[in-house]
Amino acid sequence: WGCTYNAETDKATQNLETPLLKDSFQLWQRSWAVIRFEATRPGMWYFHCHETQHLMLGLQTVFNILPSQQPPVPADVPTSGWCKTVNESAWGA
């Protein structure tokens, strides 16, 4: 369904020498994009679609960059009981 990424044919059209510098871009229905970013600043980086109704469809993700360099979550930040903070969960360690 749609145009899937084909590494053999699509890699030839990727410009890795002088790529565009952008903070947003548009995608057509059933299409894809290859994004590359320099992950040097610790923190949670949220990538999302700007169409609110698309958020419920999963057009969002969070990249946890350099968790070992992030400060711990303050003790007074409320949690949802069983829902641990990033610093308490195994993947944030």
Side-chain angles (χ1 to χ4, degrees):
W1 191 77
C3 304
T4 58
Y5 179 76
N6 182 324
E8 289 182 25
T9 59
D10 295 324
K11 191 168 185 172
T13 62
Q14 294 176 16
N15 177 1
L16 301 179
E17 297 298 321
T18 56
L20 293 174
L21 297 176
K22 298 182 74 76
D23 60 4
S24 65
F25 55 93
Q26 292 183 333
L27 289 176
W28 292 96
Q29 274 186 331
R30 299 182 221 149
S31 65
W32 52 269
V34 174
I35 58 172
R36 183 176 72 159
F37 63 99
E38 190 173 357
T40 58
R41 298 174 73 188
M44 301 291 190
W45 294 89
Y46 182 45
F47 283 65
H48 61 92
C49 179
H50 277 246
E51 295 288 335
T52 305
Q53 67 269 25
H54 291 165
L55 296 177
M56 286 68 78
L57 299 173
L59 297 177
Q60 60 186 327
T61 192
V62 175
F63 292 98
N64 186 5
I65 305 300
L66 301 170
S68 64
Q69 295 180 23
Q70 296 171 21
V73 176
D76 60 345
V77 172
T79 64
S80 297
W82 58 269
C83 184
K84 297 183 181 301
T85 65
V86 172
N87 296 88
E88 296 173 325
S89 61
W91 66 271

